[in-house]
Amino acid sequence: MKRLFKNLTFWVLSAITLGVLLGHFAPEVALQKILDKPIKISLYLSEFEIKTTFSEFLSSIFISIVKVFICPIIFITIMLGIISMGDLKKVGKVGAKSLLYFEVVTTIALLIGIVVANIIRPGDGVVTSEIKGGDISKYTQSAEAFSWLKFLLDNATLQVLILAIFLGVLFSNYGERHKVVSFLQPISNKIFWALHKVMLFAPVGAFGGMAFTIAKYGVHTLLPLGKLMVTVYCTMAIFIFVVLYFILRMYKINLLKFLKYIREELLIVLGTSSSEAALPSLMEKLEKMGCSKSVVGLVVPAGYSFNLDGTTIYLSMSVLFLAQVFNVHLDLQQILTIIGILMITSKGAAGVTGSGFIVLASTLSAVKVIPVEGLALLLGVDRFMSEARAITNFIGNGVATIWLANNEGEFDREQMERVL
């Protein structure tokens, strides 16, 4: 029993359960305002927002604190990895191979979403008048204002990634680079020590996130769009347990054992609907599992911008869902156009606030055959589907790192056997 109470997984799972109960039976408590207006904090090139309601306050506080660790951990991990690796050709090779892997796997995810949506057709029979919409103006305006330059300037993770690679390459040519490693390693250890302390509050964040979701939207809001939700969840399960399973099987690694190894992080992502909430922990666990520091430092941060498998599936299925709802027939040429547009627009999803809707709005605007106003239908269930998106993105980046580490010979199999 004492061992159970010391298990973070137990506490996160309990917090999620309590959050559901509070949101369902006492929504007025979960949505009680404790701040007059949101508090915005700028730190490490990023802006964090502390929400006003009781439940959102708890969740946003936890996520914001974890986000503070993301940039320093990425910066130090990449620098240490590149300096320790020494071979700059290998660094470039890993980076290029990562981008190729991301494009291939996200394209597979995109095609799976389109095929399943065309077979099950979740939008058929949906009566739009039965579903309460919402204000989509902020999403369409953001979509119109979206640019790749803005994406790069707003994406702190990419900026830190580029800076760390530059400095890593610079110091790797330094004659006494071991002194740089000796200086950075203790700092890295202290940062991860502090992160472990913060992660003890993960149940608080998971409780707040789940309580808000249930209180705000309620389980009853799922019924009109239940078919879409079930289809999206099933499609993402197919992607994880078929596509990602075979990717790991190429190197004789068991996907289920890996999922069990990162179960605490998966529950945190589920409770907070944010894959960023567990990003630093994922990087640490991948290193402990046997992936080299350099591969982890390059692949995970880049993956959070360019390897969004769950988001890609959601976007492709949502576009076809809205086409089916409004009885818009898409011919082969239009479907291929949608695939091409989504292959580009989905890459910008991580760097934009309200990313799913903004990228979806920009895609619909580009296709010009599906009413953009249809986004209002998805507002009620987007929060529930964001959990599936975040978990799929999270697992996908973990699998990508393991695969690339094995492919580059930067994986310690004996260490993996001990950990798993």
Side-chain angles (χ1 to χ4, degrees):
M1 188 62 72
K2 285 183 179 179
R3 190 176 176 185
L4 180 65
F5 287 143
K6 290 182 179 180
N7 191 310
L8 184 61
T9 303
F10 167 77
W11 288 111
V12 173
L13 197 54
S14 300
I16 290 173
T17 304
L18 289 174
V20 171
L21 293 174
L22 178 67
H24 182 67
F25 293 107
E28 67 283 352
V29 176
L31 299 177
Q32 177 68 42
K33 277 203 169 189
I34 59 176
L35 293 175
D36 293 329
K37 60 180 180 180
I39 300 173
K40 292 188 176 181
I41 304 170
S42 295
L43 192 64
Y44 294 129
L45 307 176
S46 299
E47 191 175 78
F48 312 114
E49 187 174 80
I50 308 301
K51 303 292 187 177
T52 59
T53 62
F54 167 66
S55 54
E56 274 192 304
F57 178 84
L58 295 176
S59 179
S60 60
I61 280 283
F62 172 72
I63 293 173
S64 296
I65 293 174
V66 173
K67 282 184 176 181
V68 169
F69 286 87
I70 292 176
C71 288
I73 285 176
I74 289 173
F75 182 76
I76 289 180
T77 303
I78 292 177
M79 278 195 65
L80 282 172
I82 292 176
I83 295 170
S84 302
M85 185 181 285
D87 187 353
L88 297 183
K89 287 184 179 179
K90 196 163 190 176
V91 174
K93 183 182 174 185
V94 172
K97 195 173 288 186
S98 299
L99 293 176
L100 179 62
Y101 172 95
F102 296 157
E103 192 57 50
V104 171
V105 175
T106 51
T107 301
I108 293 172
L110 178 62
L111 293 173
I112 290 174
I114 286 176
V115 170
V116 174
N118 271 308
I119 293 174
I120 299 180
R121 300 190 62 83
D124 287 351
V126 174
V127 181
T128 57
S129 60
E130 293 180 1
I131 306 170
K132 292 182 180 180
D135 181 19
I136 62 164
S137 60
K138 60 180 179 179
Y139 301 111
T140 54
Q141 288 167 6
S142 298
E144 291 168 1
F146 174 77
S147 70
W148 279 99
L149 178 60
K150 187 176 184 296
F151 164 62
L152 292 172
L153 291 176
D154 289 347
N155 196 318
T157 304
L158 274 182
Q159 293 173 27
V160 172
L161 175 67
I162 293 169
L163 178 62
I165 290 174
F166 173 77
L167 292 177
V169 170
L170 187 67
F171 281 112
S172 66
N173 291 317
Y174 178 51
E176 298 183 5
R177 61 175 182 263
H178 64 278
K179 290 184 178 180
V180 181
V181 174
S182 300
F183 173 74
L184 291 177
Q185 192 61 58
I187 298 176
S188 176
N189 294 338
K190 290 292 184 183
I191 290 175
F192 276 108
W193 175 85
L195 175 65
H196 289 157
K197 300 302 180 184
V198 171
M199 294 308 289
L200 295 176
F201 295 93
V204 177
F207 168 78
M210 193 57 68
F212 172 79
T213 301
I214 300 298
K216 177 77 173 177
Y217 302 106
V219 180
H220 65 280
T221 60
L222 307 182
L223 297 179
L225 300 175
K227 191 176 179 182
L228 172 64
M229 279 198 60
V230 171
T231 304
V232 168
Y233 270 80
C234 289
T235 305
M236 292 189 185
I238 291 170
F239 177 78
I240 292 170
F241 293 106
V242 176
V243 178
L244 298 185
Y245 169 82
F246 280 107
I247 288 174
L248 285 187
R249 193 177 176 184
M250 291 174 64
Y251 291 105
K252 297 179 180 179
I253 297 172
N254 190 304
L255 174 66
L256 294 179
K257 286 184 177 180
F258 172 63
L259 296 181
K260 183 180 178 183
Y261 175 58
I262 60 169
R263 61 187 179 277
E264 291 175 357
E265 287 72 23
L266 291 175
L267 287 173
I268 292 169
V269 173
L270 173 66
T272 60
S273 293
S274 170
S275 53
E276 286 185 336
L279 183 149
S281 286
L282 176 66
M283 294 179 72
E284 184 182 24
K285 280 202 168 181
L286 287 170
E287 283 186 47
K288 286 183 178 179
M289 184 180 168
C291 300
S292 70
K293 187 182 287 290
S294 55
V295 172
V296 171
L298 284 170
V299 178
V300 176
Y304 267 70
S305 292
F306 298 104
N307 188 37
L308 305 172
D309 303 323
T311 303
T312 305
I313 291 171
Y314 165 77
L315 291 172
S316 61
M317 299 191 78
S318 294
V319 170
L320 293 185
F321 167 78
L322 292 176
Q324 293 159 10
V325 167
F326 291 105
N327 294 314
V328 176
H329 174 71
L330 298 173
D331 57 30
L332 181 60
Q333 183 178 350
Q334 288 171 320
I335 291 176
L336 291 176
T337 301
I338 290 171
I339 291 174
I341 293 170
L342 285 175
M343 283 175 67
I344 298 171
T345 55
S346 63
K347 300 299 181 290
V352 190
T353 304
S355 57
F357 271 96
I358 292 170
V359 173
L360 191 52
S362 64
T363 304
L364 295 179
S365 299
V367 176
K368 294 180 180 178
V369 293
I370 303 169
V372 179
E373 293 73 21
L375 285 177
L377 298 177
L378 300 174
L379 284 176
V381 295
D382 180 69
R383 178 76 185 197
F384 292 94
M385 289 194 288
S386 69
E387 294 156 359
R389 287 200 303 264
I391 287 176
T392 306
N393 291 339
F394 186 78
I395 297 172
N397 280 310
V399 169
T401 307
I402 295 169
W403 189 88
L404 286 159
N406 275 276
N407 190 260
E408 285 297 307
E410 297 282 339
F411 190 79
D412 188 334
R413 184 163 287 273
E414 290 183 3
Q415 189 171 331
M416 180 199 73
E417 296 292 345
R418 287 195 299 271
V419 169
L420 297 186

